[in-house]
Amino acid sequence: MKIMVAIKRVVDYAVKIRVKPDKTGVETTNVKMSMNPFCEIALEEALRIRESGQASEVVAVSMGPQQCVDTLRTGLAMGADRGIHVETKEMLYPLSVAKLLRALVEVEKPQILILGKQAIDDDCNQTGQMVAGLLNWPQGTFASKVVLDKEKQELTVDREVDGGLETLCLDLPAVITTDLRLNQPRYATLPNIMKAKSKVIKKYTPEELNVEIKSDLEIVQVTEPPKRKSGVMVSSVDELIDKLKNEARVI
Amino acid sequence: MNTYCRLLRRSSTRYLLHRSNSNSQHSTQFPGFRGHFGTSRPLEQLLGDPKRTLSTVFPPLREHIGSGLTSACNVAGHTHRLPCRFFGSAPIVMQRNPKFSTINADDITKFKEILGEKNVVQDEERLLAANTDWMRKYKGSSTLVLQPRTTEEVSWILKYCNSRCLAVVPQGGNTGLVGGSVPVFDEVIITMGSMKNIISFDKVSGILVCEAGCILENLVSFLDSQGFVMPLDLGAKGSCQIGGNVSTNAGGLRFLRYGSLHGNVLGLEAVLANGTVLDMLGTLRKDNTGYDLKHLFIGSEGSLGIISKVSILVPPKLSSVNLAFLACKDYVSCQNLLLEAKRKLGEILSAFEFLDSDSMDLVLNHLEGVRNPLPPSMHNFYVLIETTGSDQSYDKEKLEAFLLRSMEGGLISDGVLAQDINQAFSFWRIREGVPEALMKAGAVYKYDLSLPVEKMYDLVEAMRIRLGPAAKVVGYGHLGDGNLHLNISLPEYDDTVLGLVEPFVYEWTSKYRGSISAEHGLGLMKANKIHYSKSPECVDLMVSIKKLLDPNGILNPYKVLPSSLTS
């Protein structure tokens, strides 16, 4: 059985985000880029399934500019068997990504497609759901536990919902999107980094996959949240009440 | 040895008596408390409030927990006696120097007149905080804290105190580890926290000029917005002040890359005991005109003058940082790896740290949320290599190539490379968490030593043989700088064990021409041990300089130099 995992290159989780002065987006030049944390979890889960002997191959997929290869190398160093890079300089929105993934699924024929529940840069939380819809596959989103039964060709997925846990049973093939508590991703060890160097990364263009990149969305502007004002010390209860009434206007 | 004996004889006639309580209270507290002193929040409340998270009250520690609890000093508030160890395990009580005056009502009135009512602090809670050191090991009984806002006010205070023969202790962030920043008896505390202005920053030359009370972290964030970094970084950065850093010549994690403050500080303004303001606040890289006096004040721990302003050379912030966490089978491999790293990583190498398997074991057992990056087995030594450069893909390729070669060559037995900042943070957490883990494990005797790199770990092994199974001996530190943090961990403080440790550890260090204080200073804790690292002639010259600059000895008395020679 083959598992496909989608991984996204994003601004590192720990980097302080700066908005571009012209408000068209976020500054990404000279900024540390890393794998989206939820994608790391997705990849880790795929690797664990493979290591349990229930899958034979893990294919990591990334889309975007040339530098996505670095992210794929990280994925390969974690243990993915090979990589696919769909190279494009176009801005990619969830629907385009979902269409590209569908095209790749048709080529690679995996039984399970695992994605992070969302990317930390755009917070869209749409791609997994869209690709499941396009493929007409069942989906287990926000997975906090995944159990594969290869005999029965089904997946049992625990989902973190507001009221507690929901357990779903999905027939294969299926789409899973991962939540934070599913697992703790492994580190890239030196022997695996070494092995990763000889692993194959296949390149596609959107044209080769017959997907037209277009967007129905336009980003109007990106702005920073308002800066928090520093607090002031008040000298008396009366002054506090006065400020609450007349400045903050909350009482 | 003659010197030691002479000193011992002298001191034993003056200092005697027993320590009253060897298992003191501080063994139970977390070590990361970095002194939110100077705020109005009472100490007990801070320490006792379980809701505050470790990261705010007990921030991540770098190496700076260093030399801690060699003696448990339980000082009764105002008795003017300080039980303290000077040689071996012989507990000795220090006397207040009778030539110093005590504060009277006139003094207070004068101080209030000049500094203003609210800068003359006599409030109980704030006095307690200012009297107690960061580890709650040393406690003075000062009744007065002064908060100057300008160099002129510092000058006025010192001039006045000098004329009245009132002893003073300059205080920055009060994060020192050797008792240098708190009064021993009733010295007037001069806190520099109100002098926190950034005076100028020259982007082209990278020179920052600021007042002594600037908190290191504030300088770091100011520079960050300008695209620069401070040349020093340490665990206490949220509280420690640049004036204190300079006057103690603090080391830290960027030492390997940017070197000592003796190189980075370009100029100083310092106030002498008689109130004279020395303007050495140059911003020149090169200046060979006469004796370079600023170096006297860097690392003098406030005993020669109070630093009021600093000009410091700051490097540009580089965008590409990589971190590897590696395992080595023996100490020789660690050394060879260091040699290779210096050669092959050259200009991008920015940190080379090590810890042994016992340190690792402590961290894994005592700190929450820390996992072993190299499971399942334990390795004998762990090394962190950090590179900092300007080109992410080039640097990473270079580091990877170096690591793979070292692995093939057998220098490294296993390793991981951080793929994102979060992973890098969790690797640093292991190295930085050692002091915290040690404090949680029980009682600990701490030594901060400089030794030749090839001899460094021999001391740890010698100590293990000496102490046997009774104590856990761990070694970690800045291998790249030849700085070992030797720690002896045991369930409770034990005089028999201490008797085996000291003076052995100092004698051993002295034998290999090491330093008994690599980056923590001498303070009160090691003032009388200076002879282990400095010749009598050097110490005599230091005493002469002290007497020249501070004839009455009012500046930070009882510290840095043996009090038998200065009083």
Side-chain angles (χ1 to χ4, degrees):
Chain A
M1 185 195 293
K2 195 191 281 184
I3 303 175
M4 186 185 273
V5 182
I7 57 179
K8 184 173 183 184
R9 177 176 179 266
V10 296
V11 173
D12 193 284
Y13 163 77
V15 166
K16 188 168 179 273
I17 299 293
R18 288 180 209 280
V19 172
K20 284 184 191 166
D22 64 4
K23 297 186 180 174
T24 55
V26 164
E27 194 62 73
T28 53
T29 46
N30 242 335
V31 169
K32 167 91 175 158
M33 306 291 278
S34 303
M35 195 192 296
N36 179 36
F38 292 108
C39 301
E40 268 188 307
I41 294 169
L43 181 56
E44 175 67 30
E45 196 61 22
L47 296 173
R48 288 186 188 186
I49 294 172
R50 187 193 66 192
E51 281 159 5
S52 72
Q54 301 211 75
S56 54
E57 191 181 34
V58 174
V59 182
V61 178
S62 191
M63 297 167 191
Q66 171 59 30
Q67 296 93 314
C68 289
V69 170
D70 295 343
T71 311
L72 280 171
R73 287 273 168 229
T74 299
L76 296 176
M78 283 174 72
D81 297 288
R82 58 192 172 87
I84 294 174
H85 178 209
V86 181
E87 189 169 359
T88 172
K89 291 198 174 99
E90 300 284 319
M91 182 84 182
L92 290 172
Y93 291 95
L95 187 56
S96 309
V97 177
K99 285 177 181 169
L100 288 167
L101 281 172
R102 176 180 62 176
L104 287 172
V105 164
E106 280 159 9
V107 176
E108 292 286 337
K109 310 245 182 303
Q111 288 292 89
I112 306 174
L113 174 62
I114 312 183
L115 306 89
K117 70 169 183 180
Q118 68 194 58
I120 58 165
D121 52 0
D122 57 22
D123 275 346
C124 279
N125 186 348
Q126 296 165 349
T127 310
Q129 293 88 328
M130 284 177 174
V131 72
L134 291 172
L135 288 165
N136 204 18
W137 286 8
Q139 55 179 307
T141 53
F142 309 105
S144 62
K145 191 181 172 197
V146 173
V147 179
L148 171 65
D149 190 330
K150 205 179 164 191
E151 300 284 296
K152 291 189 193 157
Q153 286 284 298
E154 63 182 34
L155 276 169
T156 310
V157 175
D158 283 358
R159 306 180 64 234
E160 293 189 354
V161 292
D162 279 352
L165 282 181
E166 181 184 62
T167 306
L168 297 179
C169 193
L170 317 174
D171 287 330
L172 293 185
V175 173
I176 298 171
T177 73
T178 57
D179 212 331
L180 200 62
R181 277 165 290 274
L182 178 59
N183 60 46
Q184 197 173 30
R186 68 196 60 194
Y187 298 124
T189 65
L190 291 179
N192 286 337
I193 290 171
M194 196 149 36
K195 278 183 213 152
K197 295 209 182 285
S198 56
K199 288 178 182 171
V200 180
I201 296 178
K202 190 167 183 189
K203 274 201 194 293
Y204 284 100
T205 60
E207 295 75 43
E208 286 167 338
L209 296 169
N210 287 319
V211 177
E212 193 191 344
I213 308 287
K214 58 169 192 191
S215 176
D216 308 325
L217 302 172
E218 184 197 349
I219 291 178
V220 181
Q221 69 167 17
V222 176
T223 54
E224 277 181 48
K227 286 212 165 52
R228 189 181 167 274
K229 281 193 203 154
S230 60
V232 286
M233 296 287 280
V234 290
S235 52
S236 65
V237 176
D238 290 342
E239 193 189 337
L240 175 67
I241 290 170
D242 177 66
K243 278 189 185 298
L244 289 174
K245 265 189 186 149
N246 299 320
E247 273 183 42
R249 296 181 192 283
V250 288
I251 53 172
Chain B
M1 278 310 283
N2 278 342
T3 320
Y4 312 148
C5 297
R6 193 184 76 215
L7 256 165
L8 188 57
R9 244 182 287 116
R10 259 199 230 177
S11 48
S12 60
T13 54
R14 295 179 50 190
Y15 312 126
L16 25 109
L17 278 172
H18 272 283
R19 222 163 21 128
S20 50
N21 181 359
S22 63
N23 295 327
S24 85
Q25 66 287 8
H26 44 68
S27 61
T28 56
Q29 291 299 338
F30 300 103
F33 177 61
R34 56 177 162 183
H36 291 238
F37 302 141
T39 68
S40 56
R41 206 178 156 93
L43 196 61
E44 267 69 18
Q45 197 184 332
L46 262 173
L47 289 166
D49 186 351
K51 285 195 289 291
R52 287 176 76 90
T53 60
L54 272 182
S55 60
T56 54
V57 180
F58 312 115
L61 294 173
R62 303 253 153 124
E63 71 298 358
H64 293 273
I65 310 300
S67 17
L69 311 163
T70 47
S71 71
C73 297
N74 183 22
V75 183
H78 299 265
T79 55
H80 287 193
R81 294 191 322 179
L82 181 79
C84 209
R85 290 174 189 285
F86 291 113
F87 284 87
S89 55
I92 298 156
V93 171
M94 194 182 235
Q95 302 286 332
R96 182 182 184 277
N97 188 336
K99 81 176 180 196
F100 295 135
S101 327
T102 46
I103 293 161
N104 59 35
D106 278 0
D107 298 329
I108 303 285
T109 318
K110 286 244 170 53
F111 285 133
K112 284 185 175 167
E113 233 167 69
I114 302 291
L115 301 174
E117 192 92 17
K118 80 178 180 34
N119 294 310
V120 179
V121 180
Q122 290 174 292
D123 170 74
E124 284 284 327
E125 274 173 12
R126 293 175 68 184
L127 279 173
L128 175 68
N131 267 312
T132 316
D133 84 315
W134 183 77
M135 296 186 84
R136 303 211 300 166
K137 177 183 169 188
Y138 298 98
K139 193 176 168 194
S141 50
S142 177
T143 53
L144 184 63
V145 175
L146 301 176
Q147 304 182 130
R149 288 158 300 176
T150 60
T151 305
E152 291 68 42
E153 288 184 353
V154 177
S155 167
W156 184 88
I157 293 170
L158 287 182
K159 197 171 171 186
Y160 182 85
C161 289
N162 197 40
S163 68
R164 282 271 293 117
C165 214
L166 284 167
V168 301
V169 50
Q171 191 174 82
N174 197 5
T175 60
L177 298 162
V178 288
S181 60
V182 289
V184 181
F185 301 105
D186 59 343
E187 297 93 285
V188 175
I189 302 169
I190 304 178
T191 67
M192 301 300 288
S194 301
M195 292 181 63
K196 54 184 177 191
N197 292 315
I198 291 171
I199 299 164
S200 68
F201 178 61
D202 177 349
K203 234 175 158 164
V204 177
S205 51
I207 296 168
L208 173 77
V209 183
C210 65
E211 290 182 326
C214 291
I215 289 173
L216 182 59
E217 195 159 47
N218 295 347
L219 294 177
V220 169
S221 23
F222 167 77
L223 288 174
D224 189 66
S225 66
Q226 305 285 323
F228 287 79
V229 293
M230 284 299 281
L232 80 161
D233 180 18
L234 32 100
K237 68 179 162 211
S239 303
C240 69
Q241 297 169 8
I242 190 68
N245 295 149
V246 173
S247 61
T248 56
N249 190 21
L253 290 158
R254 295 196 181 131
F255 194 94
L256 178 71
R257 180 64 170 266
Y258 299 117
S260 137
L261 286 174
H262 279 291
N264 293 306
V265 172
L266 298 179
L268 289 178
E269 179 187 79
V271 185
L272 299 183
N274 63 9
T276 307
V277 178
L278 288 186
D279 181 358
M280 304 168 281
L281 202 59
T283 54
L284 306 170
R285 296 291 301 275
K286 293 175 144 185
D287 177 18
N288 284 357
T289 48
Y291 309 131
D292 202 341
L293 294 176
K294 65 170 183 284
H295 289 296
L296 271 181
F297 296 89
I298 302 172
S300 64
E301 303 180 48
S303 64
L304 299 180
I306 297 185
I307 293 174
S308 49
K309 290 184 186 120
V310 176
S311 87
I312 188 164
L313 184 65
V314 298
K317 186 185 168 118
L318 300 176
S319 58
S320 149
V321 180
N322 286 295
L323 183 68
F325 191 90
L326 311 163
C328 292
K329 62 178 188 301
D330 51 28
Y331 184 68
V332 176
S333 305
C334 299
Q335 282 178 58
N336 290 336
L337 190 64
L338 172 63
L339 195 68
E340 283 298 298
K342 281 182 177 168
R343 194 162 294 161
K344 301 280 165 48
L345 297 174
E347 76 286 357
I348 59 168
L349 181 65
S350 58
F352 195 107
E353 301 283 314
F354 91 108
L355 57 151
D356 60 12
S357 63
D358 287 315
S359 312
M360 183 70 163
D361 193 54
L362 276 166
V363 172
L364 294 175
N365 285 326
H366 292 281
L367 297 189
E368 267 176 53
V370 173
R371 63 170 165 150
N372 184 356
L374 300 167
S377 57
M378 288 291 279
H379 298 267
N380 291 331
F381 290 92
Y382 296 91
V383 168
L384 274 98
I385 295 182
E386 188 194 67
T387 65
T388 307
S390 51
D391 185 327
Q392 181 64 35
S393 55
Y394 168 82
D395 292 355
K396 197 167 181 186
E397 209 168 288
K398 189 167 174 167
L399 178 61
E400 272 182 14
F402 164 73
L403 294 175
L404 297 180
R405 246 195 333 268
S406 306
M407 191 141 179
E408 280 161 8
L411 289 182
I412 304 172
S413 26
D414 201 356
V416 286
L417 193 57
Q419 301 295 318
D420 55 46
I421 299 175
N422 233 7
Q423 291 187 5
F425 179 78
S426 61
F427 297 165
W428 269 125
R429 172 79 182 128
I430 294 170
R431 165 62 188 83
E432 292 168 10
V434 181
E436 194 178 329
L438 278 160
M439 293 295 272
K440 287 187 179 173
V444 59
Y445 297 112
K446 289 172 162 285
Y447 300 91
D448 161 44
L449 311 163
S450 263
L451 284 165
V453 174
E454 72 269 20
K455 285 278 163 237
M456 217 160 97
Y457 204 73
D458 291 356
L459 174 58
V460 181
E461 279 162 354
M463 192 61 84
R464 275 194 191 126
I465 293 167
R466 201 174 159 82
L467 299 184
K472 191 166 187 170
V473 182
V474 309
Y476 63 95
H478 318 284
L479 194 71
D481 310 325
N483 183 184
L484 172 73
H485 292 300
L486 170 72
N487 285 248
I488 292 128
S489 169
L490 54 171
E492 285 182 345
Y493 288 102
D494 182 335
D495 280 353
T496 328
V497 174
L498 184 59
L500 287 171
V501 175
E502 288 185 30
F504 172 78
V505 60
Y506 294 126
E507 284 166 1
W508 201 97
T509 307
S510 183
K511 190 167 112 194
Y512 292 101
R513 297 187 63 87
S515 170
I516 58 157
S517 176
E519 58 181 9
H520 295 163
L522 295 167
L524 180 63
M525 177 186 166
K526 287 183 268 194
N528 286 288
K529 301 198 168 81
I530 191 170
H531 289 94
Y532 286 109
S533 285
K534 290 287 174 345
S535 71
E537 293 77 14
C538 292
V539 176
D540 284 347
L541 182 59
M542 289 183 201
V543 172
S544 314
I545 293 171
K546 167 76 178 168
K547 285 186 174 158
L548 177 71
L549 296 186
D550 179 17
N552 292 332
I554 60 160
L555 281 166
N556 220 2
Y558 320 107
K559 294 161 191 167
V560 188
L561 296 168
S563 43
S564 53
L565 302 180
T566 49
S567 51

